[in-house]
Structures are given as C-alpha cells and as structure tokens.
Amino acid sequence: MNQPTINKPRILTGDTPTGRLHLGHWVGSLENRVAMQSSYECFFIIANVHAFTTRAERPEDIRQSVLEIATDYLACGIDPNVSTILLQSEIPAIAELTFFFAMLVPFARLMRNPTLKDEIRDKGLGDSYSFGFLLYPVGQIADILAFRPDMVPVGEDQMAHLELSREVARRFDQMYCGVDPQTPDKEYVAAGGLFPIIEPKLGRVKRLVGIGGPSEEGRLLKMSKSLNNAIFLSDEPDAVRKKVMAMYTDPNRKRATDPGTVENNPLWIFHEAFNPDVHWVQEAEAKYRAGGIGDVECKKKLVDVLVNLIEPMRQRRQTFERDPGEVWRVLQRGTARANIIAEETLLKAKEAMRQDLLPRSLAFNL
Ligand code: ATP
Ligand code: MG
C-alpha cells in the first residue's frame, strides 16, 4: 500500500476545501486524475490552508470540507492504495518553501496575475482581501514544487498560477543550482536543476460554466464551489433534476417554437460536455436553433445524462460517509508518505541555498 513507485512520471494537483466537488472539477481535472493514476505516481493535495484565504472566519466549515473533499476523491474513483492524498497544513516543508519562493516572485508580477483579479471580482472580495490571499499563488508554487512533479492536471483558471510556478522553478534552478538560462525547459533537471519546469495538463473541458446566468458584464461565470452555481458529484438525482430544470438557457426564447441560440447557452455547453450521444446532441441543437424542440425536453435528457454519471459516484460515496474514520486514516497515511518526499525536497532546496546548516527529522503517525 502506498509503496513508492519508481520510474513513473509524477503528478501533483489538488483542491481547496471550500465545499464539495462538482461537475467542473470532474471534467476539468478529476477525470484525468482517475484515468492517469495507474500510469503516474499521483499526489492529490487538499489545500486547507488556502481555504483560509477567503474564509478565515469559518474554520469549522473548512474542517468539514476537508472530509467532504477526501470523501469525494474516494467516491469518484481515486484509489488510496495507488495514489497519495495529503493534507496541506500537515506538510511543514510547504510552508517553509512558500517563504523562500516568495523572494523569487516580483510583487508587481504577482499583482498582474489575471486569476487573482478574476477571483477578487467574482467572489466579491472588494478591497478587503487579506495579504494572505495575495500570498496563496506563491503557496501554490510550494504545493507543487515540494513534490517535483512532471505534470499538473488543472482547469484553465489555474494556468496563470502554473506559469508562475514555472518561472520560480527556472529562477531557483538558475540562481541556486547553476542551470544555464538558455537551457530548454524539459532539460532543467538533467542540467542540475532541483525543480522541474512543470507541464500543465488541461482537462477535456477547460472551464465549465455554472448553472446560473451571466454576470452583470454578461459573462457566464465558471462553475465554482463558492458561487452557488454548481451541480455536485454528491447531489441526489432529485437535486440534479431541480438544478437542471431551473438552469439558465436562452433568455429570449419564450416557447419551443421560438428559434434558440446554442452558443454560450449552458444547456448545450452541458450536453456537449457530458452527453455521450453525440448524434442526439447535434440533431437537437439543429432543432433548437430552428425552434423545433423545447427546453424542457432537452433539460430532461440532460438530467438523465448527469444522473447516469453522478449516481455511481454518489452510491460509492455513501459507503465512505458511513466510515469517516477510514477517510481520515487514508489522509493520515497519505500525508505521512507525502511528508517524506516534501522533506527531501526541502533539504535539497536548503542545500542548494547553502542553508543546510542543522539536520532535522520529523516523526509521523502512520
Ligand atoms: P473555489 O470557488 O473555492 O475557488 P473551485 O470550484 O474554483 O473552488 P478549486 O478548488 O479552486 O475549485 O479548483 C480545483 C481544481 O478544479 C483546479 O484545477 C481548477 O482549475 C479546477 N476547476 C474548478 N472549477 C472548474 C470548472 N468550472 N471547470 C474546469 N475546471 C475547474
Ligand atoms: Mg477556485
């Protein structure tokens, strides 16, 4: 169980415990993780420290959500005997690396990060966000690089953060490991660098929209745990049905005989993302454009498609819900194993930075 796997390329990715996992996570990242876990050495981090960046006043919710996310992982097919699930707050090397990496990120560069700007706007953070909120992309670099992965499967909103992690890895390797700046990204480690220049891996759907309508500026918001616009992998069939039947579609269409717009319409975005019957989708889209099919019929079809996908996960989830002790044990074992690797990375980083001054070791409860 959780034996170190030799010679498999490594993946690191994860989620913030700010709720339960939803369909956006599935097509954006989870689906890839489940498919790749036998051929890659996988680390999945539950980023509970980062959850404090937007909800420091709700510690109990974050605690509960750690359990929810770990349960969702197991429910959707992540196998803890193959993959390592870890809890960010119990990996001290991540916090230490965050501080060192913060010195390698120019402040102005951080503030240009479009994902931070989107989050500030979409989550309504105004100008009251904390210094810690701005620090989280740097923390995320440490989450990633602590495990020196080859690949990071994420949704599109994470691309700006991953670019930052590539920049920091290059800077560290050049500054402390003597890697020539002309070195191609893929060759940094072979050239003596400690940190790989990671590759992002986008999911089948890079940014799934939510089921709510557009924002004031007319943009469809991404499905997000925090925006109350998600269909969760743990939703019961009745909840899925209610959400789909109430979902935003073409607002100009009053009856089935009105011609409808398919583009930017969540109903069709969802059918294209989840309905395996491509032929039906194509035909129904053509009818919709011509005013030959009703929203209700298309929504009912979507309910069936989504329930088919979600129901096996939800059923599996129930067995883990009955035994939360086992879920915590999975996290404990995974975190212990992850600490071995993260400590090794931190020691190597300190060696490179000439700060391997006093040896230390951590004790883990297995
Ligand atoms: P929060 O609202 O707290 O930011 P979230 O729903 O955005 O939560 P995260 O924990 O921030 O979820 O993201 C976890 C992973 O899932 C990231 O790789 C992110 O890119 C991906 N992801 C999240 N939402 C979507 C989406 N709607 N479509 C595609 N990928 C997504
Ligand atoms: Mg997010």
Side-chain angles (χ1 to χ4, degrees):
M1 172 195 315
N2 276 344
Q3 291 303 319
T5 21
I6 316 285
N7 291 334
K8 281 187 186 174
R10 194 177 281 170
I11 283 179
L12 175 290
T13 188
D15 301 274
T16 336
T18 47
R20 287 172 291 144
L21 295 181
H22 53 63
L23 288 172
H25 296 118
W26 177 251
V27 283
S29 174
L30 283 174
E31 192 181 41
N32 267 339
R33 300 185 206 176
V34 173
M36 292 164 98
Q37 64 181 339
S38 54
S39 38
Y40 286 77
E41 185 188 15
C42 292
F43 291 86
F44 301 127
I45 185 167
I46 302 185
N48 57 333
V49 178
H50 291 183
F52 280 79
T53 60
T54 53
R55 50 193 78 191
E57 74 293 356
R58 287 155 64 186
E60 193 53 44
D61 288 356
I62 298 173
R63 184 188 178 98
Q64 182 57 30
S65 179
V66 168
L67 181 64
E68 300 277 16
I69 301 264
T71 309
D72 278 331
Y73 280 176
L74 299 173
C76 78
I78 290 177
D79 178 352
N81 296 320
V82 176
S83 300
T84 301
I85 303 176
L86 57 131
L87 185 63
Q88 185 187 39
S89 61
E90 299 316 315
I91 312 281
I94 290 178
E96 292 183 53
L97 286 169
T98 301
F99 214 111
F100 287 120
F101 290 156
M103 316 306 166
L104 303 182
V105 183
F107 183 68
R109 170 74 183 85
L110 189 71
M111 295 308 289
R112 281 200 308 273
N113 184 319
T115 299
L116 277 189
K117 289 185 186 160
D118 286 356
E119 276 190 273
I120 289 167
R121 185 193 54 213
D122 294 346
K123 293 180 182 172
L125 303 180
D127 52 10
S128 65
Y129 50 84
S130 62
F131 173 71
F133 176 76
L134 298 179
L135 186 65
Y136 103 78
V138 183
Q140 194 171 311
I141 299 171
D143 296 337
I144 295 170
L145 295 184
F147 298 94
R148 289 171 282 148
D150 300 277
M151 197 184 279
V152 182
V154 286
E156 194 174 46
D157 60 313
Q158 296 300 309
M159 295 301 274
H161 294 342
L162 295 194
E163 194 46 46
L164 215 52
S165 98
R166 291 157 55 82
E167 287 172 25
V168 165
R170 284 190 205 105
R171 203 159 292 146
F172 187 102
D173 288 346
Q174 291 167 16
M175 201 180 269
Y176 301 122
C177 308
V179 174
D180 182 335
Q182 303 303 320
T183 307
D185 284 349
K186 280 190 180 329
E187 288 164 31
Y188 262 67
V189 173
L194 172 58
F195 295 114
I197 317 304
I198 56 102
E199 268 186 55
K201 166 124 180 115
L202 283 171
R204 190 161 57 81
V205 179
K206 299 170 187 59
R207 177 186 180 278
L208 185 72
V209 300
I211 54 172
S215 67
E216 280 167 18
E217 310 96 79
R219 275 175 321 110
L220 287 175
L221 294 172
K222 100 174 176 74
M223 185 176 285
S224 167
K225 292 187 234 95
S226 309
L227 298 180
N228 201 17
N229 65 357
I231 296 179
F232 295 102
L233 301 179
S234 46
D235 275 345
E236 294 191 2
D238 201 41
V240 175
R241 192 180 55 75
K242 286 201 178 99
K243 287 182 182 180
V244 171
M245 297 316 282
M247 133 189 240
Y248 175 85
T249 61
D250 178 346
N252 299 320
R253 200 167 186 247
K254 304 282 179 267
R255 55 188 83 79
T257 48
D258 291 343
T261 306
V262 167
E263 288 68 33
N264 272 327
N265 181 338
L267 175 61
W268 297 108
I269 294 175
F270 275 67
H271 267 297
E272 285 170 20
F274 297 103
N275 193 339
D277 189 349
V278 181
H279 185 68
W280 184 91
V281 176
Q282 279 170 352
E283 282 197 343
E285 283 181 349
K287 283 190 203 159
Y288 194 87
R289 286 186 212 277
I293 193 169
D295 274 45
V296 171
E297 184 181 340
C298 304
K299 283 182 166 179
K300 280 187 176 155
K301 187 87 175 174
L302 183 60
V303 172
D304 293 342
V305 165
L306 295 181
V307 168
N308 264 343
L309 172 71
I310 291 174
E311 203 43 21
M313 301 188 209
R314 197 183 69 83
Q315 303 264 338
R316 213 163 31 235
R317 196 178 201 280
Q318 287 179 329
T319 56
F320 295 108
E321 281 169 0
R322 282 192 287 271
D323 190 5
E326 178 52 22
V327 181
W328 289 120
R329 281 190 291 280
V330 162
L331 261 178
Q332 184 149 44
R333 286 196 297 269
T335 303
R337 169 160 156 56
N339 259 317
I340 293 169
I341 305 207
E343 282 294 303
E344 185 186 283
T345 303
L346 180 64
L347 178 61
K348 286 177 190 283
K350 285 180 175 169
E351 282 167 3
M353 290 185 291
R354 310 287 298 123
Q355 304 306 308
D356 52 328
L357 299 162
L358 300 173
R360 78 168 191 201
S361 64
L362 297 180
F364 308 120
N365 296 323
L366 275 169

